[in-house]
């Protein structure tokens, strides 16, 4: 593979072509196979990356940390407190400082604008580990998982249920539009993505052969689906007050066994995680005490079923994030 990725940022899938996304997925599959075979692969030995996290994370943080270590790199973690970023120092200045010390920067936080500024001024590759608008590394892991299950992305009937205008809804729609999938967003109208983004994806779909549609009807939305995907109803950074309204809006869009039964027999259940599928979390328990519901976006039954591939997705975060770091940092020979 010719490396056209060197030095590039990974801020949104909108910046990458279908072929490039496929290349990234191929590299991830190779890195996964090497890791499974215990073949050491440390092409970025001695390089340094910094992980900036303004929001919590388990998968993304660990995938960047382990992935960087696997590739031979050193990692510095900067959490929501303890650095000058954004408080005493602008993002633009922080970008220029970090760019002098590190060979790559990961950012998870609120505004897409922040990661864009880091990408513009640091002079080294910047990777988006989630903003309010997009979560592109998650999509790579999800698509890798779909390929592992179905052998291809082209023509897959992909249905997303829930908050379709959050970072996951937006990014999955973009990814599907790029990769020639049939994307259905199933959500109440007020939780559909911006018309501007829908139009942009509809345009992309013409080129790839994808289809993009939205419906409020869960029976229509799940019919013939290969993939049923959902995410939390309230995302990080949203105020606690929105829970009550969101539960009312989205309860009809919960993925349960009735919905799964309406999809293809071979359908899989996907979720980026973390998921509220029982009361064994602090928030899950609080929601149960307040509203009397044991699971939210997905039932325990579906989450634990054989159709659920959520832990494959979680594992693939590692291999795909490794691929992104590898191709953007590996110097061309
Ligand atoms: N899916 C995902 O991004 O998980 P974390 O919030 O744990 O990183
Ligand atoms: N929409 C979720 C995704 C978590 C991985 C959030 O932003 O909290």
């Amino acid at each position: 593979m010719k490396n056209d990725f060197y030095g590039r940022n990974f801020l949104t899938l909108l910046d990458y072509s279908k072929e490039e996304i496929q290349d990234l997925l191929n590299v991830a599959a190779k890195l996964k196979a090497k890791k499974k075979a215990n073949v050491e692969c440390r092409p970025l030995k001695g390089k340094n990356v910094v992980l900036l996290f303004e929001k919590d994370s388990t998968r993304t943080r660990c995938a960047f940390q382990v992935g960087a270590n696997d590739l031979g790199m050193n990692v510095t973690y900067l959490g929501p407190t303890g650095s000058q970023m954004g408080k005493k120092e602008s993002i633009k200045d922080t970008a220029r400082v970090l760019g002098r010390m590190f060979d790559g920067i990961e950012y998870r936080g609120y505004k897409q604008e922040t990661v864009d500024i880091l990408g513009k001024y640091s002079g080294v590759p910047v990777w988006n580990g989630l903003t309010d608008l997009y979560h592109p590394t998650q999509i790579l892991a999800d698509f890798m998982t779909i390929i592992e299950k179905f052998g291809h992305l082209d023509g897959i009937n992909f249905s997303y249920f829930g908050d379709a205008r959050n970072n996951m809804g937006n990014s999955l729609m973009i990814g599907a539009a790029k990769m020639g999938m049939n994307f259905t967003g199933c959500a109440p109208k007020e939780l559909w993505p911006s018309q501007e983004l829908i139009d942009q994806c509809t345009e992309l779909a013409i080129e790839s052969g994808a289809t993009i549609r939205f419906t409020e009807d869960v029976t229509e939305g799940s019919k013939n689906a290969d993939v049923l995907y959902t995410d939390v109803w309230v995302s990080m950074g949203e105020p606690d007050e929105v829970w009550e309204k969101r539960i009312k809006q989205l309860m009809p869009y919960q993925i349960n066994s009735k919905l799964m039964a309406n999809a293809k027999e071979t359908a899989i259940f996907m979720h980026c995680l973390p998921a509220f599928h029982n009361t064994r979390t602090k928030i899950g328990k609080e929601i149960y005490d307040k509203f009397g519901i044991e699971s939210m976006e997905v039932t325990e039954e579906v989450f634990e079923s054989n159709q659920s591939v959520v832990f494959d997705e979680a594992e693939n975060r590692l291999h795909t994030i490794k691929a992104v770091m590898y191709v953007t940092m590996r110097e061309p020979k």
Side-chain angles (χ1 to χ4, degrees):
M1 185 190 79
K2 185 159 125 283
N3 189 1
D4 291 329
F5 294 93
Y6 179 65
R8 281 172 69 182
N9 299 321
F10 190 74
L11 307 178
T12 162
L13 287 178
L14 288 168
D15 296 339
Y16 283 80
S17 69
K18 178 178 185 171
E19 292 69 33
E20 287 173 337
I21 294 169
Q22 190 57 59
D23 281 347
L24 284 169
L25 296 171
N26 294 345
V27 172
K30 280 191 189 137
L31 290 171
K32 182 172 182 175
K34 273 196 181 159
K35 186 157 171 111
K36 299 278 172 200
N38 274 323
V39 178
E40 204 181 70
C41 172
R42 295 163 63 82
L44 300 176
K45 194 162 168 258
K47 293 202 184 281
N48 292 283
V49 293
V50 63
L51 312 183
L52 307 177
F53 278 86
E54 292 185 331
K55 289 177 177 169
D56 293 340
S57 169
T58 298
R59 277 145 291 271
T60 310
R61 177 178 174 179
C62 295
F64 271 101
Q65 172 86 51
V66 175
N69 292 343
D70 281 358
L71 293 167
M73 297 195 280
N74 307 305
V75 177
T76 299
Y77 173 80
L78 292 181
T81 59
S83 84
Q84 312 281 19
M85 180 167 146
K87 289 167 230 128
K88 283 173 74 179
E89 196 157 41
S90 69
I91 307 302
K92 184 174 170 180
D93 291 355
T94 306
R96 290 178 289 178
V97 171
L98 296 177
R100 297 290 182 107
M101 297 191 193
F102 293 97
D103 304 292
I105 300 170
E106 181 276 353
Y107 170 81
R108 163 173 289 199
Y110 297 87
K111 292 192 210 139
Q112 182 68 20
E113 190 195 353
T114 306
V115 79
D116 290 341
I117 294 172
L118 289 169
K120 188 163 177 198
Y121 293 104
S122 66
V124 296
V126 172
W127 313 294
N128 181 355
L130 179 148
T131 62
D132 290 346
L133 204 56
Y134 303 127
H135 193 9
T137 62
Q138 177 70 49
I139 312 312
L140 292 181
D142 297 338
F143 285 6
M144 181 177 192
T145 308
I146 294 172
I147 292 172
E148 287 173 349
K149 304 300 168 194
F150 293 103
H152 60 100
L153 294 172
D154 227 47
I156 288 288
N157 295 333
F158 185 102
S159 295
Y160 178 89
F161 295 83
D163 183 359
R165 41 103 255 192
N166 71 11
N167 39 25
M168 285 308 304
N170 288 342
S171 303
L172 285 165
M173 175 173 66
I174 297 167
K178 291 258 176 183
M179 302 313 283
M181 297 156 79
N182 301 315
F183 180 87
T184 300
C186 193
K189 234 182 207 129
E190 58 272 25
L191 295 176
W192 292 4
S194 70
Q195 195 54 49
E196 192 188 344
L197 188 61
I198 296 178
D199 291 345
Q200 203 175 351
C201 288
T202 308
E203 192 68 28
L204 289 168
I206 297 170
E207 204 180 313
S208 70
T211 59
I212 306 289
R213 66 165 182 163
F214 282 86
T215 176
E216 293 193 297
D217 180 341
V218 292
T219 308
E220 191 189 330
S222 54
K223 194 163 186 275
N224 277 327
D226 293 302
V227 177
L228 288 89
Y229 200 114
T230 190
D231 182 18
V232 288
W233 290 346
V234 176
S235 286
M236 289 182 279
E238 293 195 287
D240 285 347
E241 294 77 72
V242 302
W243 272 113
E244 187 167 1
K245 183 172 180 213
R246 226 35 92 59
I247 288 169
K248 280 201 190 105
Q249 283 175 306
L250 290 176
M251 206 60 207
Y253 297 87
Q254 180 189 61
I255 299 193
N256 51 36
S257 36
K258 189 171 162 223
L259 208 65
M260 291 301 293
N262 194 46
K264 283 191 190 164
E265 221 172 295
T266 50
I268 57 173
F269 166 72
M270 300 185 80
H271 192 310
C272 56
L273 304 182
F276 291 116
H277 56 97
N278 60 33
T279 55
R280 276 177 244 132
T281 60
K282 186 169 170 280
I283 294 175
K285 175 76 171 53
E286 281 168 10
I287 295 290
Y288 176 73
D289 291 341
K290 215 163 162 195
F291 303 104
I293 51 171
E294 286 185 13
S295 52
M296 286 188 266
E297 69 272 15
V298 56
T299 59
E300 178 78 348
E301 193 185 3
V302 170
F303 186 90
E304 295 293 352
S305 72
N306 291 334
Q307 287 170 289
S308 172
V309 299
V310 295
F311 298 108
D312 295 320
E313 291 173 83
E315 180 190 332
N316 286 338
R317 297 300 308 285
L318 169 62
H319 310 299
T320 45
I321 280 174
K322 247 169 106 171
V324 171
M325 288 193 286
Y326 174 61
V327 300
T328 55
M329 295 181 76
R330 181 189 56 144
E331 288 169 39
K333 286 192 189 115

